[in-house]
Amino acid sequence: MRTTTSTSTSTGTTASTGTIAAVRNLGILAHVDAGKTTVTERILYLAGETHKRGEVHEGTTVTDCHPQERDRGITIFAAAVSCAWNGHRINLIDTPGHVDFADEVERSLRVLDGAVAVFDAVAGVEPQSESVWRQAERHGVPRIAFVNKLDRAGADLDTALASIRERLHPQPLAVQLPIGAEDAFTGVVDLLRLRALTWADDALREGPVPEDLAAEAAARRHALAETVASLHPGALEEFCAAGTLSAATLAAALRELTRTGEAVVVLCGSAYRNRGIEPLLDAAVAYLPSPLDVPPVAGVTGTADDTPQQRAADPEQPFTALAFKVNVTATGRLTYLRVYAGRLEKGDTVLDTTTGRPERVSRILRVQADSHRESDHAVAGDIVAVIGPKAARVGATLCAPAAPILLEAPVSAEPVVTVAVEARRTADTDKLAQALARLAEEDPSLRVRTDAETGQRTLSGLGELHLEVAVEKIRREHGVDAVTGRPQVAHRERLVEGVTGFVHRHVKQEGGAGQFAHLVLDVQPGGETEDFVFGSTVIGGRVPREYVQAVEAGCREALAEGPLGGHPVTGVRVTLTDGSTHPRDSSDLAFRTAARQGLREALRASRLQLLEPVAEVTVTVPEDALGAVLGDLAARRGQIRETGPGRVAAVVPLAELFGYASRLRSRTQGRGTFTTRPAGYAPAPGA
């Protein structure tokens, strides 16, 4: 990523806000186009970090700083920023909303303590909203919700609440009531304090609840207290005694319910119009946990005995951090860390427990998307970038050398889409290889391999857009004109009907010692699991043992390229039944050459079948899209093996799976997922 670094020195995140208890490490999660980046921009603006509101459609946002993000108008790379709010330091990571970049979300959630889930007030819970919500659940990250775009036509808070309840299943607890609807949306009623918050000319004003909303606000306040009391034993006692809950009791109960995940606090507003952001920040500080509120990070020593270890968020503990993002640029290497325990000073040497390699930290940077401020130190609870480590990968644990610990690394998703990639100019081949290696280092969900059979270099990722962005990055940042195409699948040729008593003589005489070998071969189909079986029934020493070994080697060479298309031949049983030698001209080379040529001729006289690779595909799909998925699999020559509630298992030719990820998403509105594993080979069409 493009970076600019200020030469000013910061005293450090934690030092500027007092204590670790005042830190919030939060993520912004949502479906694409729900307004995540706009919410982040308004937070930075109101906190005084920026002096002008950035807009996605203008390409002026802080977090969408990569040229491709500005060109496409979507978040592609998770970006970290920070700001101060009411005596607290908030470290934010704006995550992508497109499903192709779900691995960026996964790595971010691994190091976050809380999250704000943003929902569209018209669309409610969208497919990727549901996916990122489940990701946060797996990581045990507490969440609050922000229903955005209440100024849109058709926006309705209650409908959004119903979709949260039905699709995500937590108890949504709305703590606000909108004032006005659609274009007339001007503010919200704070149900805890029963006060109206309105915005005019970007200024927040507080006042009494409008008379026309007073009765509804009181009713919703009572319903909120009643629901909270039913979920929280401490609140229930006060509710039973007083018939209501005080604002302090209600806030304390909401904080506990948020941390346990039993309920989700819901706020609302319009980020684009700068309405509702201040209460959202207040709620993030009030309800989401600090590093002190989460359990100590757990790991093992990384030694032979793997003794369990725990590190609490305490500057006095041994230094412990996890690398969750790496940016490799032509000018340097940035490693992004979440510091869980201890203190890191500029110039310290730390241990990369994953590799056992010591690394020196030469610089510590406070991150603001693509710009950075230098700092002398980082402490528990901080999210920083460091310069110096040369080999630390995503998921690496960096710790104090005297107190080793190995933390669980984020799990990268398995690629589902593959394209062949090559440099348009031969002179750029080496540069392309270096660029691909750098991409795979930055993004573990990208896999690069060279097919040993086809010679193609392939790039695998989580979707067509994921790969499109990666290839464009090669072009822009590495100056390589890369072209892509469909990868070639590696076919096989299987022997179906062979020949017996096939005679081949190899005679070569060009002055001096010649070459002579005489072979008689039986070539027959082997078993289903047999690639090649060789045997000899020659008696009487007609073919010496050392020559028999040469015959086997020659046969193996012949099977590398079959007669149907030059593909490897499988399922062949060759028996050497007879032969003869010449006292002077026979040799290992002669018999090896004879076997190679003879078996190739025998295969041309036999009947073979072309095979193509197939994969076992398991599709998880909503019930309402099951028919469309079954029809699509049938069109891809898939053989359905099993169907059940929300699940389909089939065997599909590998060549037919290219582009399947996008097709599945379009047919299931992004809710379908699939996994594959190799299932061998099957006859190709017309074979």
Side-chain angles (χ1 to χ4, degrees):
M1 297 177 66
R2 176 178 60 84
T3 63
T4 58
T5 303
S6 169
T7 57
S8 63
T9 300
S10 167
T11 57
T13 296
T14 304
S16 65
T17 54
T19 65
I20 297 175
V23 174
R24 299 290 184 273
N25 291 316
L26 311 177
I28 308 292
L29 313 174
H31 186 89
V32 64
D33 203 34
K36 290 182 293 65
T37 301
T38 303
V39 169
T40 305
E41 285 297 315
R42 299 305 183 263
I43 288 174
L44 294 176
Y45 176 71
L46 290 170
E49 289 292 332
T50 58
H51 302 292
K52 182 181 178 181
R53 292 177 295 183
E55 304 294 350
V56 173
H57 61 276
E58 295 176 357
T60 57
T61 60
V62 172
T63 53
D64 283 356
C65 52
H66 194 278
Q68 287 202 69
E69 293 177 311
R70 291 174 174 168
D71 291 347
R72 298 173 189 272
I74 61 171
T75 301
I76 296 172
F77 308 104
V81 294
S82 64
C83 63
W85 183 257
N86 288 346
H88 291 74
R89 172 58 58 178
I90 299 178
N91 297 320
L92 280 175
I93 297 182
D94 181 22
T95 65
H98 196 285
V99 66
D100 279 15
F101 308 105
D103 212 53
E104 286 273 337
V105 182
E106 187 75 14
R107 293 194 294 272
S108 299
L109 285 170
R110 175 63 179 81
V111 299
L112 294 174
D113 301 324
V116 177
V118 180
F119 301 98
D120 188 312
V122 178
V125 177
E126 297 172 272
Q128 188 60 11
S129 304
E130 187 174 352
S131 297
V132 296
W133 186 274
R134 301 301 177 211
Q135 285 179 282
E137 275 188 339
R138 289 198 305 272
H139 287 279
V141 175
R143 286 135 285 161
I144 62 174
F146 181 70
V147 177
N148 192 27
K149 302 187 179 183
L150 274 178
D151 57 323
R152 285 185 59 194
D156 184 77
L157 176 61
D158 289 334
T159 301
L161 292 172
S163 69
I164 292 173
R165 185 182 298 107
E166 293 166 6
R167 297 282 295 275
L168 305 181
H169 309 303
Q171 177 63 51
L173 300 174
V175 296
Q176 295 175 338
L177 171 66
I179 298 176
E182 300 179 353
D183 284 342
F185 171 70
T186 58
V188 297
V189 175
D190 177 358
L191 295 180
L192 271 70
R193 299 181 300 136
L194 286 177
R195 299 288 290 172
L197 305 175
T198 57
W199 286 265
D201 300 324
D202 287 348
L204 170 60
R205 294 180 174 84
E206 183 175 333
V209 178
E211 291 184 6
D212 59 334
L213 289 177
E216 183 180 0
R220 290 192 179 232
R221 171 62 159 80
H222 182 78
L224 173 64
E226 190 174 34
T227 303
V228 169
S230 69
L231 297 171
H232 191 278
L236 179 61
E237 185 176 344
E238 181 178 322
F239 187 82
C240 291
T244 187
L245 295 177
S246 67
T249 301
L250 196 52
L254 289 172
R255 181 176 174 85
E256 290 187 31
L257 292 172
T258 298
R259 292 182 184 179
T260 61
E262 295 178 72
V264 56
V265 173
V266 181
L267 299 97
C268 58
S270 168
Y272 181 70
R273 295 196 177 185
N274 209 33
R275 296 170 184 172
I277 302 302
E278 295 96 332
L280 175 63
L281 281 166
D282 291 337
V285 167
Y287 304 130
L288 293 174
S290 76
L292 294 178
D293 298 321
V294 298
V297 65
V300 295
T301 56
T303 55
D305 56 356
D306 272 348
T307 306
Q309 297 281 309
Q310 284 192 339
R311 300 280 165 83
D314 182 352
E316 302 304 318
Q317 289 270 310
F319 172 71
T320 305
L322 183 74
F324 68 94
K325 184 178 179 68
V326 172
N327 272 353
V328 184
T329 67
T331 57
R333 193 173 191 274
L334 283 178
T335 304
Y336 290 75
L337 303 179
R338 162 66 193 270
V339 182
Y340 284 102
R343 182 182 180 91
L344 178 68
E345 299 281 351
K346 184 169 64 173
D348 281 353
T349 296
V350 298
L351 174 67
D352 181 348
T353 322
T354 312
T355 62
R357 172 177 175 160
E359 298 276 12
R360 185 178 181 274
V361 176
S362 58
R363 297 168 67 190
I364 301 173
L365 306 174
R366 303 290 172 181
V367 181
Q368 201 73 350
D370 61 341
S371 64
H372 311 94
R373 298 192 305 270
E374 291 209 30
S375 177
D376 292 330
H377 67 275
V379 299
D382 281 346
I383 292 178
V384 295
V386 297
I387 296 177
K390 300 183 183 303
R393 297 296 186 99
V394 172
T397 302
L398 301 183
C399 65
I405 185 173
L406 181 63
L407 305 179
E408 182 182 359
V411 178
S412 294
E414 287 299 317
V416 295
V417 180
T418 301
V419 295
V421 58
E422 62 183 22
R424 191 180 297 276
R425 298 188 309 157
T426 305
D428 288 338
T429 300
D430 290 342
K431 287 178 64 178
L432 175 62
Q434 294 172 5
L436 289 170
R438 186 175 292 177
L439 280 179
E441 186 176 352
E442 292 183 337
D443 185 352
S445 61
L446 288 171
R447 308 287 171 82
V448 180
R449 65 182 292 268
T450 301
D451 193 296
E453 294 176 3
T454 66
Q456 281 186 311
R457 183 178 282 116
T458 60
L459 180 65
S460 302
L462 303 183
E464 278 84 356
L465 181 59
H466 189 203
L467 296 179
E468 184 181 324
V469 166
V471 173
E472 185 64 22
K473 200 172 182 185
I474 291 173
R475 296 188 182 117
R476 293 190 183 193
E477 297 182 14
H478 301 277
V480 178
D481 187 7
V483 294
T484 60
R486 287 173 61 93
Q488 301 173 14
V489 296
H491 288 83
R492 295 285 188 272
E493 299 176 24
R494 183 173 62 191
L495 184 65
V496 176
E497 184 178 334
V499 294
T500 58
F502 188 86
V503 179
H504 180 75
R505 288 177 180 270
H506 173 63
V507 180
K508 184 177 182 182
Q509 191 70 47
E510 294 181 351
Q515 293 185 21
F516 177 88
H518 165 225
L519 303 174
V520 180
L521 302 174
D522 284 352
V523 182
Q524 298 296 331
E528 288 293 328
T529 60
E530 295 175 341
D531 287 335
F532 173 60
V533 177
F534 178 81
S536 173
T537 59
V538 177
I539 58 174
R542 292 178 60 81
V543 179
R545 180 172 299 178
E546 61 269 23
Y547 293 165
V548 172
Q549 295 176 349
V551 171
E552 180 177 357
C555 289
R556 290 187 183 277
E557 293 174 1
L559 295 177
E561 296 181 1
L564 296 183
H567 309 294
V569 182
T570 64
V572 179
R573 184 184 293 270
V574 177
T575 305
L576 176 62
T577 60
D578 200 2
S580 62
T581 63
H582 186 278
R584 187 179 60 184
D585 293 342
S586 292
S587 64
D588 283 355
L589 177 61
F591 272 90
R592 185 168 182 164
T593 303
R596 182 174 64 249
Q597 296 175 347
L599 183 53
R600 285 177 177 171
E601 292 178 7
L603 290 174
R604 284 193 285 268
S606 303
R607 186 163 68 89
L608 289 94
Q609 184 179 51
L610 185 66
L611 304 179
E612 64 179 345
V614 296
E616 185 177 295
V617 181
T618 302
V619 186
T620 302
V621 58
E623 290 288 344
D624 57 358
L626 184 60
V629 169
L630 287 171
D632 187 51
L633 288 173
R636 295 173 183 269
R637 299 188 286 122
Q639 298 180 8
I640 308 300
R641 296 292 177 86
E642 180 185 348
T643 59
R647 182 177 179 276
V648 179
V651 174
V652 184
L654 184 61
E656 299 290 346
L657 287 177
F658 301 133
Y660 183 62
S662 296
R663 178 63 64 87
L664 178 64
R665 288 168 189 158
S666 67
R667 289 181 178 271
T668 63
Q669 296 183 319
R671 291 179 290 163
T673 60
F674 75 99
T675 59
T676 65
R677 64 186 182 95
Y681 287 80

